[in-house]
Amino acid sequence: MSDIWLMIGAWVLGGLLAVGVCTIVVRALALVVELLWRWGRLLHGVMVRRTPEFRTIAPFRPEDEPVPAYRNYFFGPAVRDLHQIVNLGAVMWGRSVGDRFRALARERLTQAREPGALKLAQALALLVGLAVGAALSLPLLLLLLGLHALLVLLIHLAARLFAACLRGLDLIVLRLKGLVRGVLCPHCYERVPYPSYACPRAECRRRHGDIRPGRYGIVRRRCACGARMPTLLILMRRGNRLAAFCTHAHCGKPLNRDAGHAREIALPLVGGRAAGKTQLMAAMLMALESAARSGGPEVRLADEESVSGYGVLREVLAMKGHTRATQRNLARAHSVVLGRGRSEQLVHLFDAAGEHFAKGEDTDALRYVRAARTVVFVLDPLAVDVTWELLDDADGAAVDRTLASTDRPDTVFANASQAVARLGERGSRPQLAVAVSKTDLLAGSGVLPDRLDDSATARGWLTENLGLGNLVHAMELEFGEVRYFFTAAVTDDDGRIDPSLAPFVAWCLQGTAPAPRRRAGRGNTTSSRTRVRRRTVRRLRT
């Protein structure tokens, strides 16, 4: 009998132990599941709901950033959320485990009416289950936290890599357009490495310094007002291009809408006061329009200021009048867009006041020559004394002397060439287009040669007839390639521009790269070239 009772007692004890183990396992799993569920709610609250109870660290605000934009999630906010999850997760784990232990002690031990041995054993099993569940949940939650941190790190690195690739693509596009050094500001004549862009929302118009992919957006950037902005020039189609602005502190004025989207050509016009630069520029614009009507590249003025300025110049030419002198301060460039689509070219025509060249003052203001591949030198033959001697000997119609420039061409060129040499890019020489202006006033006087469409003939006329051999020699010494053109900035009775402008404009815009400066060698050292240049300049000034 005793063996039977021993066996029954063993079975009962084993059953009690099994029930206790099951109780421990079930309670431990219940606590683990509860903690995982609370963890999921915590993630949702921190990363999605973002209500005050889930906020322990101040968010990244556009007001606190150097630019008025929200950060990309994986460039700061993701790490902030991770820190909040760690802080709130620790509080959640401690509070949840502590609440369960206190509730169990209150229900099973403190407030129990008859805490018999069986209930005490059950309470002990539940306590052990809570302890086991708390111990099991801690490494599991730490594992989830580590996976979260690893995922944030990997996506952050992937975002940086993707942003770098997009920046590289943007740089390649700019290089293909010849804009690797930036775009040209038509107001201050400085190169802008990367413009600032205004928010597209009309009631905002906040300016963003550098919208390229990075901390504040990979493909799109979100302004402080909530508006979305593209981060790449290739994403800005013609209808949604952002307004660009110069980033130099002394300027900050708007750039052309096509800046950065088209290859740029800077075409400065150099000449003395009343040499005919402004009229020639207006005639060049009319020649481009005439070529477009004849099947040439499409032409459109790039901005409202160019439209209004060109309208005035065109009326002056139509009335066969003369434009007023260019302002002494930096005049804004007239900008036009040639072609369409991928063949677009943004052409800036710069017309600086003749005082900059006549007296050699403020030539540092002529910074646009840094971007010029072609320089136009407007040579007024009426400013040469020999021209008037030839007119006196000829039997042609009298020419009004008040239309002549008051500055000698050789003096103007000496000052201008020094500015080009000082401000231009090292190791390269732009090409020079010499525009002999006001030939319409000399037509029929017998002073001009028979052929007016040949560069060699124009060169010979300047050297042999006008005695400007030293000037021609200096031009060909300072510039890579020199062409000479007879030009007449006038229109006929039907409003058509003089035919002399078409070949002149075509050569100026042909896009020839600057000629490289010759390397020092035997018999042709840099110092010897400098001495020759200085002697030539002194000779021109005297």
Side-chain angles (χ1 to χ4, degrees):
M1 267 317 268
S2 60
D3 294 338
I4 295 175
W5 287 108
L6 288 174
M7 186 177 297
I8 292 173
W11 287 347
V12 172
L13 183 59
L16 291 175
L17 290 175
V19 172
V21 171
C22 289
T23 301
I24 293 173
V25 172
V26 171
R27 191 65 191 90
L29 291 177
L31 181 60
V32 170
V33 171
E34 178 186 359
L35 291 174
L36 290 178
W37 177 74
R38 289 182 180 274
W39 183 267
R41 285 192 60 193
L42 176 62
L43 292 180
H44 184 266
V46 171
M47 302 174 63
V48 179
R49 293 176 58 190
R50 301 185 181 277
T51 49
E53 64 269 21
F54 295 103
R55 185 180 299 165
T56 62
I57 303 176
F60 291 94
R61 303 182 307 170
E63 296 81 3
D64 303 326
E65 299 292 337
V67 295
Y70 288 94
R71 286 198 182 199
N72 179 273
Y73 181 72
F74 294 102
F75 284 80
V79 177
R80 167 184 169 269
D81 286 351
L82 184 60
H83 287 170
Q84 293 188 130
I85 290 171
V86 171
N87 297 336
L88 295 175
V91 174
M92 179 272 297
W93 185 89
R95 183 177 297 171
S96 299
V97 172
D99 289 346
R100 289 296 167 262
F101 272 104
R102 285 188 291 269
L104 179 60
R106 184 175 60 252
E107 294 174 1
R108 298 290 180 174
L109 300 176
T110 306
Q111 298 179 359
R113 295 181 180 179
E114 298 179 357
L118 186 59
K119 290 186 177 181
L120 288 175
Q122 184 182 11
L124 182 60
L126 291 173
L127 287 172
V128 173
L130 286 176
V132 173
L136 290 176
S137 65
L138 189 58
L140 184 59
L141 293 178
L142 290 176
L143 176 62
L144 292 177
L145 183 63
L147 291 176
H148 188 159
L150 179 61
L151 183 62
V152 169
L153 177 61
L154 292 178
I155 297 181
H156 173 75
L157 294 177
R160 281 188 174 275
L161 179 61
F162 188 44
C165 292
L166 291 179
R167 280 176 171 261
L169 177 62
D170 192 61
L171 183 61
I172 291 174
V173 172
L174 291 176
R175 185 178 292 275
L176 292 175
K177 294 177 181 179
L179 302 175
V180 67
R181 295 179 59 241
V183 298
L184 191 62
C185 176
H187 298 276
C188 68
Y189 306 160
E190 292 281 4
R191 279 286 186 185
V192 182
Y194 209 90
S196 61
Y197 289 91
C199 174
R201 186 170 291 177
E203 57 271 19
C204 177
R205 309 304 290 175
R206 291 183 175 92
R207 293 190 188 182
H208 297 252
D210 188 349
I211 64 170
R212 286 176 292 183
R215 177 180 299 178
Y216 301 100
I218 305 299
V219 179
R220 296 283 175 182
R221 167 181 292 204
R222 188 157 67 101
C223 179
C225 68
R228 299 283 182 176
M229 305 170 58
T231 60
L232 295 171
L233 294 175
I234 57 178
L235 298 178
M236 299 182 195
R237 301 300 178 187
R238 182 176 298 279
N240 65 344
R241 287 179 180 174
L242 301 177
F245 293 85
C246 178
T247 57
H248 293 285
H250 61 276
C251 182
K253 295 181 180 179
L255 304 178
N256 306 105
R257 283 278 184 172
D258 298 277
H261 300 277
R263 184 185 298 274
E264 289 189 348
I265 298 177
L267 194 60
L269 279 73
V270 176
R273 289 166 290 192
K277 301 187 303 299
T278 305
Q279 274 190 277
L280 180 62
M281 181 177 63
M284 292 172 68
L285 294 175
M286 291 190 66
L288 291 174
E289 282 189 340
S290 177
R293 289 192 297 267
S294 302
E298 180 180 329
V299 179
R300 59 180 175 85
L301 294 168
D303 48 66
E304 295 181 359
E305 295 184 24
S306 297
V307 171
S308 59
Y310 174 56
V312 174
L313 295 176
R314 187 169 183 173
E315 290 179 1
V316 172
L317 286 183
M319 294 185 299
K320 307 239 179 346
H322 295 276
T323 57
R324 60 187 177 91
T326 306
Q327 302 176 13
R328 181 174 175 79
N329 58 344
L330 292 182
R332 189 190 187 281
H334 287 71
S335 303
V336 296
V337 179
L338 297 181
R340 59 186 308 174
R342 295 183 179 180
S343 62
E344 281 187 349
Q345 290 183 326
L346 180 59
V347 181
H348 301 287
L349 297 174
F350 295 95
D351 174 22
E355 287 84 353
H356 289 293
F357 309 103
K359 298 180 180 180
E361 300 174 354
D362 302 329
T363 52
D364 286 338
L366 311 176
R367 294 178 290 271
Y368 49 76
V369 298
R370 297 172 182 168
R373 292 186 173 184
T374 302
V375 176
V376 176
F377 182 73
V378 183
L379 193 155
D380 181 9
L382 300 182
V384 182
D385 295 337
V386 177
T387 304
W388 295 104
E389 295 176 2
L390 294 176
L391 288 173
D392 292 339
D393 296 338
D395 297 331
V399 179
D400 187 359
R401 286 181 175 269
T402 61
L403 299 179
S405 173
T406 57
D407 303 318
R408 293 176 53 184
D410 46 5
T411 303
V412 173
F413 179 80
N415 295 326
S417 62
Q418 285 188 330
V420 172
R422 183 175 65 256
L423 300 175
E425 294 183 358
R426 293 185 177 180
S428 63
R429 294 184 297 166
Q431 60 185 15
L432 180 67
V434 181
V436 181
S437 62
K438 304 177 184 178
T439 56
D440 55 302
L441 300 178
L442 300 177
S445 64
V447 173
L448 295 175
D450 296 333
R451 186 175 180 182
L452 300 179
D453 58 351
D454 181 62
S455 176
T457 302
R459 182 185 185 279
W461 184 74
L462 292 174
T463 56
E464 298 172 7
N465 293 60
L466 298 191
L468 298 178
N470 290 336
L471 176 60
V472 170
H473 176 70
M475 291 176 178
E476 296 172 351
L477 178 67
E478 293 292 330
F479 289 87
E481 181 181 359
V482 183
R483 289 287 183 90
Y484 304 87
F485 299 88
F486 288 105
T487 61
V490 293
T491 58
D492 58 15
D493 296 335
D494 297 328
R496 291 174 298 189
I497 199 66
D498 191 85
S500 63
L501 270 297
F504 167 69
V505 173
W507 190 83
C508 291
L509 299 179
Q510 66 182 354
T512 302
R517 294 192 181 274
R518 300 174 184 176
R519 295 182 178 179
R522 294 182 178 178
N524 187 26
T525 62
T526 304
S527 59
S528 64
R529 289 181 58 84
T530 304
R531 288 194 298 269
V532 171
R533 182 184 299 113
R534 290 175 179 174
R535 286 199 301 268
T536 304
V537 170
R538 285 197 299 266
R539 189 182 302 117
L540 290 175
R541 286 181 171 176
T542 57

